[in-house]
Every structure is written in structure tokens, then in C-alpha cells.
Amino acid sequence: MTYEFRAIEARWQRYWDEHRTFAADVDPERPKYYVLDMFPYPSGDGLHVGHPEGYTATDIVARYKRMRGFNVLHPMGWDAFGLPAERYAMKTGTHPAKRTAECIVNFKRQLKTLGFSYDWEREVDTTDPRYFKWTQWIFLQIYNSFYDAEAGRARPIAELPIPAEVSAAGEAAVTAYRDARRLAYLHDAPVNWCPELRIVLANEEVAEHVEQGYTVVRRAMRQWMMRITAYAERLLADLDGLDWPTSVLEMQRNWIGRSEGAEVDFKLADRTGLEVKLTVFTTRPDTLFGATYMVLAPEHPLVDEIATPERREAVLAYVARAATRSERERQAEAAEGNKTGEFTGAFAINPVNGQRIPIWISDYVLMGYGTGAIMAVPGHDERDHAFATTFKLPIVEVVSGGDKPIAEAPYVGDGVAVNSGLLDGLATPEAKRTIIAWLEEHGLGTRRVTYKLRDWLFSRQRYWGEPFPLVHAADGAVFPVTDAELPVTLPAIDDYQPSESGEPPLAKAEAWRQYDGPAGQGLREVNTMPQWAGSCWYYLRFMDPHNDAAPFSKRAADYWLPVDLYIGGAEHAVLHLLYSRFWHKVLFDLGHVGSREPFQKLVNQGMVLGATYVQKLADGRFNSFTPSEVELVAAGSDQWRVKTTGEPVAIQWDKMSKSRGNVVNPDDVIRQYGADTMRLYEMFMGPLEHSAPWQTDGVAGCFRFLQRVHRLAFESGETAPGEGTDRQRRLLHKTIAAVTERVDRLAFNTAISAMMVYVRDIVQPDEPLPRDSLEQFVLLLAPFAPHLAEEIWQSLGHTRSLAHEPWPAADDAWLTEDTFPLVVQIGGKRRAELQVAVGISEAEVVKLVMNSSELARYLEGKTPRRVVYVPGKLVNVVL
């Protein structure tokens, strides 16, 4: 009987849809399990075989948990706003909504052919007005809140205490006071502007665009910001209770970047009547006596004011050059020790010793970190030392402990203060405490905790995104539309390009922009939200996707939260997770959710690598070839050649991408081998968290295994009643125990190996296939190869799906072995492996070996000098 996988898979996919097999509803009587994928952006290229790796893993867990009695929520949707659809619209004139809908249809088709057990009735699309209505609503919850530092939580802006002097100044002053404290606020922010594309880029997007040949410059633009920094301490502290990869936790901690130290005020020298001070933050206030110069970021607002006439031209030229470079470039160059800068001509006064120190500007100092100004201590900081060496600035030792002269290399560790006045002789921790107390006593500084985390730039100069539900009044005030007016939808426009000045495309929609409604009169906000907005909270909408009165009900949130298992790529280890946690915490503070964190357990799947083929040229460059351009030299070999020339090429494994030509389409794999085979191979390549190459012969091997399963069920003749012989029972229960334990820890590759051993060994001469054993094995196979498992289950006389059948339980009585393999060595060489009874004595082992006709020829009639027995493992006969 042929394994007709196409017919089998189509039949069971129809069955699951028609019977709503995977629909989930709130059921307080049952334990819940919420398993979630990082939902995809539906691009025009469709899925490649790397995408379903994480989806397959979550589906195995979802199916397994259902069989363990859990009420499983396993949804899927689309993160569909964003720049790719807008760029496609610019090129073709196709509206982004039409392109997005086409891509979603294709993605959904591909996912459904893989038989994932999603509750498709919960499907969401971030571009659907029924969805982004609630994205806008959540934004307004954030906009209409402030962070109460004393209470340690967000509160409605209406509850913000207004000082008496502000109230006395009038309504405009009260409005300005509130607006300055909202969790969402307007700010003149330095951004990464790409003039060719006329878009603002996130810092993380800059490198990719520069590599593609685009220009990126820094410029100030009026932007909406999210006050995520108010939550820095909570975002940091709450990481401790999460079951996340250590590397991700560390990345989040580093991104938040908590630092303890002091803010110190430096006054300007030689500027009579100009009461200006430069404030720096330092984690090493104990090194203040070693500060020999200061450095400001080129964007610092005081640069223009303090630059002296003779230095102004050079300073402003440097500022202009710095504006053409991204923060990422500046940081990378600084890390390599390359330092550039200009002296402003101004001096500051070191507050601890009264010395005049020069003020420089350099792009290794970033305006977004700290105060945008640093005190430079070249004797004890690597970047400062490199700068001081380049520009021949003084280097002073103020902490002893280095093993090289301070002029040659900085000493950055702890030690004992020297050349530091009141601190001399103090160890670093005590010196820190002493100098901070001294600064506070003299009004020159204060103890401070700071964070590297910066407020979230939340607006984009694009069309294809969520419109802000905000209006600008003629007097400059900003007000939200009413909840009843949500969603604010996008107008139809013909030109999706921002203006050369950066004005967003929505500014061209004059009629749409005019607002005259219940909330007042004015002009609508023309920036749109970033793609992060829709993906910040999609896991919440999945809980209650058809609710028209709220984004989700309290009943659904109380039951389903937090997400029990979240699987996705490591590329989202920082920003998506951080932004989602921030939104979640605001909603928690306002009483909309009851859990402090959204995702309890996180797993990052590895990358599926595609093959490219390279040929090294004489000049050291490489020619690359796609899989279609090469062939094996001979079957079974590992050597490749170019089809047209016969020249040899080497195989190289890279991230799958269209540009590399190494993408494998899952449609092709499913067409040739079936969805169950592809699912199995996705998990069999190696540990889930590790990257692995996609190899066609491995796919074929998994297909052969499923063919053997099919033959076992349909071609092995009549099954025997019961569980079979003792050997078969032991094999079955060992397989159940192994698969269960390995699925629990997501070790899917070794779980598959255990099932392969079962199929290989269950039938022996005079031991036909036991029916009960087959039934229980099929239940083990079901999460991995659900279509074939359902087909076999039905053939065994069952009339309904096995999706909710109880998971098999291993009987401990069959997990212990009566015998074990004893390795026999004679004269130090391995000669045999004998099955012997557990608990056999040393005397019995010696007798067994000496009387064995099989081993007699190795003894050569000699009397052993001694016998060494390692209980439970081996015996060595020394001749």
C-alpha cells in the first residue's frame, strides 16, 4: 500500500477545519497553556524553509499539551504594516493594502499546508481597522498617563498633581505642565534621516541602508516619543523571574544599562556674566582629580554658545560632518580606537581642584547617552586615553594598581586613590562614597542612578502605518479624538513619498487632515506609528479577537496570561521584547491586565542555513553560484562542480536570503515529500536552539522513516492483541518515557530518534506488531507527523480525531532492565559484548567468560593472571 501523503494531508486538513478541532475558549475548569509564535511579516517572497522551524516547534508543543489535558491557545496572525509594502506601492502604484492582502493569502496557504494546529478563528492582521482601532486606543491610554515615580506606576494624567503656581498661571500653563509629563510626548529629537528614501531610520536599520548605498544623516525633527525610561528599573528588575535564555536576559540588561554614580557640575571658565554649567554623569566620581579635559557631543546645545570666535569655523564644520554619520558608525569607530575632535576654545573649572580644563567636541560622545558631556580621565578610561594620546592632552594617574606606566596604557580597575587630595589612600569603593558625599555637601553634584536606555522614538514619516488619533489645535495644543471616533483610518492618496524636507505623505491629504469633530478643531497628526506598535500587543488581541467593545476582556486576560511559551528568532531579543514589556506594564498599572510580564518562557530557535557555492579566483575574490548552477561530481560524493564549465566549487552555508540565491521554498518540499516529512526534518536537523544546514538527503531520510511507519501500520499484516511480548512492552514504554521527557524539554530531534528506534525494532521474527503498542506509538507520533498519525488512528477503528486523546503514560515496571550489555576485553582488546543478568556477581562473570566457546580462541589456552571486573560495564581478562 503506497504512502499517498498528498491525499492524506489534504483530507485531514479539511477535517480539522470543518470540525474546529483546534478552537480554544476560556474554560476555568481546565488548566490553560498559551503557546505563541512571533508572527510573521507577510512579504511578497512567501515563506522559505527557515521560517517554519519555530512554527513547527510550537505546534508540537501545542498538540502535546492538548493531549496532556491542557486547554491550548495557539493562534497566528500578521505583522503587516511597515516599509516593504509602502516601497512596493511607490514602485508599482499598487495600494499597500492590496499588496498586503495578497501576501497574507499566500502566507496563510503555506502555513495551512503544513498542518499547524492554529485556531484560525483568532487570526489577526495589524492593518485591519478592527485591530488597529485598539492599537490607537492603547496609545491613548499611554498618552493620557504619567509615571508617578513615588508610587512606582503609571496613573491617568487627570490625576497629575498641579502645583499652585502653575494653576495660577492659567489653562495654557496647566496644559503645558501635563504635556511635559505624559508617557507619550512631542520632542525635537535627533533622527537618522535618509534623503534618498525620505524616511527616518531606527538606529538598528542604519547599517543595512548604508551597505545598500544610501546616505544617512543626523538631523533634528519634531517626533512623538514614548517615556520608556520611566520604566527602566522595573524592566530590569522583572527580568529575574523569567524563563528566558541567559543571552537574551543579558542583552536586555545591557540595553537598559543601569549605572550608579554621580552627576557633577563643571562651571565655564573666563565667561563673566554667563552662568552656564556643564553637567556630566560618571560612574567613577573617585577619578575626578584625574579629569584633564571635557568632551561634548557635537549635537550638544551649548556647543554653538561656548565655541570661541577663532575656533567657531572648525567646530561648526566638525558638527556638520558628524551629522552625516549614524550613532552605530560613531560607536564602532570609537571601539576601534579612532578618535577625531575639535577644541572649542572654551575651558571649564574642575570642581574638586579648581583647575582649568579644555572643552573639546568629539563624535565618540553621544547626545542620547547621559548628558551628552563627559569629564575625560585619560589615565583610567580607554577611550579617553586614546583621545588624549591623539591630541597630546595631559594624562594623570589618580588610581594606583596598573602594571604599565599610565602614559602607555590606562588602568581601568579598582585600586587606591593617589594624587586625589581628600581621597588619597582610600580604596575605590570608599573613595566613591567619600567624593559623592563631598560633592553633595558643597552643592557641586549629587548621587545618581542612570540608564543607557533612551526614550522610544515612536513616529515615522511614512504612509503605511497606524495614524495617530491626535489633533493639533491652532494654538499649538494637542488633543486626542474621542474613543467613539476610533479607528482613525488612512486616507487614499496617490503619492506615498515624503517630501524632501521630511514632511510625511499624510500631509498631502488636505481634506483628511482637517478635523472638526466632537473633540474640537484642528489638523490631524500626519506622522504614523512605527511597525512596533501593532506587534507590541498582538498576543493580547489573540485572547479575544472578536471583541468590539474592548481590545480584550478581563475574563480572557485573567485566564490566558501570561504567554506560557514564546518561540521566535534571536533578532527580536531586545527591541520587540522590550517594547512589548513596556506596553504591558503600562496596561498593568492601569488595571487592564493582571500579570506583570507578558511572556513567561522564551525560546530562540536557531537559523536554518542555505547552501551557496563559491569558487576562489586568482585575485582573491569569489564567484558565487546558486544550487541550480552546480552539480555533484559523483553520486554519494561531497564534491561539487559548475554545470557549464565543470570547474570545482566549495559549499558554504549562509543565512537563507533571496539575494544569495539559496532559498528553499517549502512548497517544493511539500510537493515532493509531504508536510509531515518537512515538519519532521525541521525538528530532526539538530537541537532547536542551534543553527543547522538544510540538506535534501536529510529530508529524504525523514520521508523514508514515515514510509516505514506507513508500512508498519498498513502492510505488516494482522496486529497481535495486547502489547505483545516482554521485549516489545519494554521497548514501547521506554519509547514513551523517552519521547515524553524530550518533548518536555523541547529536545525534538532526540525524541524523533527514539521513535525511529521503535519502528526499527518493534517487529521481530515470531513477534508480530501488537495493536495496543501501535495505538500508543501513533499518539506519540501525532504532534510531529499529525496527518499520517490521524490516518493510522482512523484505520484502527477510531471515528474522531486523536488531537485530544490522552497522551500515553509509561509504566515504570517496564523501564527497568533485567539484563545489561557486558563488554568483554581479553588482553586489553574488546572481543565481545554479552547480555548478562543485572546483579551478576564477579565469580559468575569469570565463569561465564572462561566457559564461553566464543571467547575460547582469544584465551589461547592460557590461564588468566587476573580478571578485572567493573560492575555493570565491563570485564577485562589479563593474560
Side-chain angles (χ1 to χ4, degrees):
M1 184 177 180
T2 306
Y3 174 32
E4 299 287 352
F5 59 83
R6 294 186 185 88
I8 291 171
E9 290 171 1
R11 177 163 56 252
W12 285 104
Q13 287 166 18
R14 285 195 304 271
Y15 177 96
W16 295 329
D17 281 346
E18 292 167 0
H19 290 78
R20 301 180 67 243
T21 303
F22 309 118
D25 296 299
V26 172
D27 184 356
E29 300 301 315
R30 297 172 60 200
K32 67 90 181 181
Y33 197 85
Y34 187 174
V35 55
L36 181 68
D37 295 297
M38 292 185 183
F39 67 165
Y41 181 85
S43 69
D45 295 331
L47 296 171
H48 63 63
V49 294
H51 295 120
E53 182 185 21
Y55 306 155
T56 305
T58 57
D59 194 60
I60 290 170
V61 172
R63 290 175 176 274
Y64 169 70
K65 290 293 184 179
R66 287 190 196 96
M67 298 173 77
R68 297 304 298 260
F70 287 87
N71 185 22
V72 174
L73 176 58
H74 187 36
M76 177 49 73
W78 318 106
D79 185 15
F81 271 130
L83 191 55
E86 188 164 319
R87 284 182 178 167
Y88 186 83
M90 293 176 188
K91 292 177 183 177
T92 65
T94 304
H95 194 282
K98 183 176 186 297
R99 175 63 170 173
T100 299
E102 293 169 351
C103 294
I104 287 174
V105 167
N106 186 44
F107 263 60
K108 185 173 181 178
R109 174 194 62 79
Q110 288 184 298
L111 291 179
K112 287 185 76 74
T113 59
L114 282 160
F116 296 135
S117 62
Y118 295 128
D119 181 355
W120 283 108
E121 295 175 9
R122 294 176 178 268
E123 179 183 6
V124 301
D125 168 4
T126 58
T127 68
D128 185 336
R130 293 168 297 181
Y131 181 91
F132 70 72
K133 168 185 178 177
W134 299 111
T135 306
Q136 294 169 340
W137 182 88
I138 294 174
F139 170 81
L140 289 181
Q141 302 304 301
I142 298 171
Y143 173 78
N144 286 319
S145 299
F146 76 101
Y147 195 78
D148 185 336
E150 187 174 331
R153 66 179 181 86
R155 291 171 55 195
I157 196 72
E159 298 176 4
L160 176 69
I162 307 297
E165 63 273 18
V166 175
S167 295
E171 185 178 340
V174 171
T175 298
Y177 185 84
R178 286 197 178 112
D179 288 349
R181 288 155 181 80
R182 293 179 186 273
L183 286 179
Y185 64 96
L186 271 173
H187 177 62
D188 288 320
V191 299
N192 303 306
W193 173 250
C194 178
E196 293 98 332
L197 297 175
R198 301 179 189 176
I199 58 171
V200 170
L201 299 170
N203 285 329
E204 294 70 31
E205 299 170 316
V206 170
E208 174 191 352
H209 285 77
V210 171
E211 287 174 6
Q212 294 172 3
Y214 293 109
T215 303
V216 180
V217 298
R218 296 285 285 175
R219 58 180 290 188
M221 293 181 72
R222 194 79 164 156
Q223 299 285 302
W224 282 99
M225 310 289 291
M226 288 272 188
R227 207 179 299 276
I228 190 174
T229 51
Y231 281 80
E233 189 60 38
R234 285 171 61 184
L235 288 167
L236 189 64
D238 289 347
L239 289 170
D240 291 343
L242 300 179
D243 183 7
W244 287 16
T246 302
S247 59
V248 175
L249 293 172
E250 196 59 27
M251 281 189 279
Q252 292 251 323
R253 292 188 180 105
N254 290 338
W255 192 267
I256 297 167
R258 187 181 194 275
S259 298
E260 294 185 13
E263 281 188 348
V264 185
D265 295 330
F266 288 71
K267 291 183 178 180
L268 286 179
D270 310 325
R271 303 299 288 269
T272 305
L274 186 61
E275 286 299 320
V276 175
K277 63 182 180 181
L278 289 167
T279 300
V280 304
F281 171 79
T282 175
T283 60
R284 292 296 303 270
D286 59 301
T287 65
L288 260 166
F289 287 88
T292 59
Y293 63 98
M294 295 188 73
V295 186
L296 306 186
E299 304 88 354
H300 197 289
L302 288 179
V303 168
D304 185 60
E305 188 172 359
I306 68 173
T308 59
E310 63 272 16
R311 298 298 305 157
R312 178 174 299 278
E313 183 178 350
V315 166
L316 295 183
Y318 186 87
V319 170
R321 288 196 301 274
T324 66
R325 306 174 68 240
S326 71
E327 288 188 3
R328 185 180 291 244
E329 288 178 287
R330 287 161 60 172
Q331 288 174 306
E333 188 171 275
E336 293 172 1
N338 301 323
K339 296 293 183 292
T340 62
E342 288 289 344
F343 175 43
T344 66
F347 290 83
I349 301 298
N350 188 326
V352 295
N353 57 19
Q355 291 184 359
R356 296 170 78 252
I357 59 176
I359 303 172
W360 288 67
I361 62 170
S362 176
D363 62 4
Y364 82 88
V365 178
L366 303 176
M367 192 62 217
Y369 291 105
T371 64
I374 67 165
M375 65 173 207
V377 184
H380 305 284
D381 181 273
E382 291 178 354
R383 295 186 310 167
D384 297 345
H385 192 279
F387 190 91
T389 301
T390 300
F391 294 101
K392 298 181 172 52
L393 296 168
I395 300 173
V396 176
E397 180 181 32
V398 292
V399 181
S400 65
D403 55 5
K404 291 184 179 180
I406 211 73
E408 294 180 15
Y411 174 61
V412 298
D414 288 357
V416 174
V418 296
N419 304 316
S420 297
L422 76 159
L423 304 181
D424 281 351
L426 298 180
T428 296
E430 181 61 25
K432 286 182 179 180
R433 290 191 291 269
T434 300
I435 195 63
I436 291 174
W438 186 89
L439 290 167
E440 290 182 329
E441 180 184 348
H442 291 81
L444 297 170
T446 183
R447 187 184 313 274
R448 186 75 67 210
V449 174
T450 67
Y451 301 88
K452 190 165 63 175
L453 179 68
R454 291 173 285 175
D455 278 347
W456 176 11
L457 194 155
F458 193 71
S459 50
R460 298 290 186 270
Q461 291 65 51
R462 298 173 184 167
Y463 171 77
W464 194 232
E466 298 92 342
F468 283 90
L470 297 173
V471 179
H472 296 262
D475 62 1
V478 178
F479 60 88
V481 303
T482 64
D483 286 356
E485 295 174 276
L486 300 179
V488 176
T489 56
L490 289 165
I493 62 175
D494 297 323
D495 181 6
Y496 303 105
Q497 280 277 19
S499 68
E500 290 185 9
S501 65
E503 196 169 42
L506 289 181
K508 303 168 188 175
E510 290 292 344
W512 173 87
R513 196 176 181 186
Q514 301 293 326
Y515 174 83
D516 186 358
Q521 293 180 324
L523 296 176
R524 293 186 187 275
E525 172 63 57
V526 292
N527 284 297
T528 52
M529 298 185 198
Q531 189 173 354
W532 303 110
S535 63
C536 271
W537 74 283
Y538 73 108
Y539 64 96
L540 296 171
R541 187 61 174 171
F542 275 142
M543 301 186 306
D544 197 7
H546 307 297
N547 192 331
D548 293 327
F552 49 86
S553 69
K554 185 177 186 302
R555 180 171 180 261
D558 288 347
Y559 181 71
W560 290 115
L561 288 176
V563 174
D564 296 282
L565 175 63
Y566 195 23
I567 294 184
E571 66 271 19
H572 299 299
V574 175
L575 294 184
H576 161 63
L577 293 170
L578 195 68
Y579 295 157
S580 291
R581 295 178 64 220
F582 166 53
W583 276 39
H584 192 92
K585 288 182 183 301
V586 176
L587 293 173
F588 173 80
D589 289 351
L590 300 177
H592 298 298
V593 297
S595 65
R596 292 180 179 274
E597 287 286 330
F599 315 117
Q600 181 56 38
K601 182 179 177 64
L602 173 73
V603 173
N604 295 136
Q605 85 269 15
M607 192 180 295
V608 176
L609 305 175
T612 54
Y613 301 85
V614 296
Q615 177 188 64
K616 190 171 183 178
L617 303 176
D619 61 4
R621 293 181 299 114
F622 287 88
N623 270 346
S624 295
F625 301 90
T626 65
S628 63
E629 296 173 315
V630 299
E631 63 185 359
L632 280 169
V633 171
S637 73
D638 196 29
Q639 297 177 328
W640 298 81
R641 64 189 173 196
V642 182
K643 287 180 181 177
T644 53
T645 65
E647 295 174 325
V649 291
I651 192 168
Q652 181 174 295
W653 298 102
D654 297 299
K655 178 181 178 180
M656 281 194 181
S657 71
K658 188 176 180 181
S659 62
R660 290 186 176 93
N662 62 358
V663 168
V664 178
N665 190 327
D667 293 346
D668 298 334
V669 180
I670 293 170
R671 191 178 302 112
Q672 184 173 1
Y673 296 107
D676 281 344
T677 294
M678 181 169 160
R679 291 169 59 108
L680 209 67
Y681 180 63
E682 290 272 357
M683 296 295 95
F684 193 56
M685 285 188 290
L688 178 62
E689 297 90 342
H690 294 183
S691 295
W694 181 271
Q695 296 178 301
T696 304
D697 56 346
V699 182
C702 287
F703 181 64
R704 289 192 294 272
F705 165 67
L706 291 181
Q707 286 179 309
R708 286 194 292 272
V709 173
H710 188 271
R711 288 195 298 272
L712 184 71
F714 293 103
E715 300 178 25
S716 59
E718 289 295 320
T719 56
E723 292 188 30
T725 65
D726 286 356
R727 184 195 67 82
Q728 289 174 318
R729 288 187 179 187
R730 184 166 286 108
L731 176 60
L732 170 66
H733 288 281
K734 285 179 66 176
T735 304
I736 292 171
V739 173
T740 303
E741 184 270 334
R742 293 168 190 180
V743 171
D744 277 333
R745 57 184 177 88
L746 309 185
F748 302 124
N749 58 323
T750 55
I752 294 169
S753 296
M755 290 188 286
M756 288 178 169
V757 170
Y758 172 90
V759 172
R760 183 194 67 193
D761 294 346
I762 189 62
V763 175
Q764 299 288 344
D766 302 323
E767 288 184 313
L769 177 65
R771 176 188 171 88
D772 291 353
S773 183
L774 176 60
E775 283 198 343
Q776 293 189 69
F777 170 75
V778 168
L779 296 176
L780 297 180
L781 181 67
F784 298 85
H787 307 88
L788 179 56
E790 292 274 23
E791 189 76 4
I792 298 172
W793 188 252
Q794 185 184 65
S795 75
L796 293 171
H798 302 283
T799 57
R800 67 175 189 179
S801 167
L802 53 65
H804 297 279
E805 289 294 322
W807 183 257
D811 186 339
D812 290 344
W814 292 103
L815 299 180
T816 58
E817 295 284 355
D818 294 333
T819 63
F820 71 92
L822 175 70
V823 174
V824 180
Q825 294 179 340
I826 297 179
K829 295 182 180 179
R830 181 187 176 115
R831 296 304 187 184
E833 183 177 293
L834 305 176
Q835 284 296 131
V836 300
V838 173
I840 189 172
S841 68
E842 183 173 351
E844 290 173 314
V845 166
V846 172
K847 182 179 179 181
L848 182 67
V849 171
M850 299 304 294
N851 293 337
S852 170
S853 57
E854 181 183 348
L855 299 172
R857 60 192 177 98
Y858 299 114
L859 295 173
E860 299 175 346
K862 298 178 181 177
T863 301
R865 285 191 287 149
R866 68 178 185 276
V867 176
V868 179
Y869 175 53
V870 180
K873 293 184 178 179
L874 63 84
V875 59
N876 183 25
V877 180
V878 182
L879 299 177

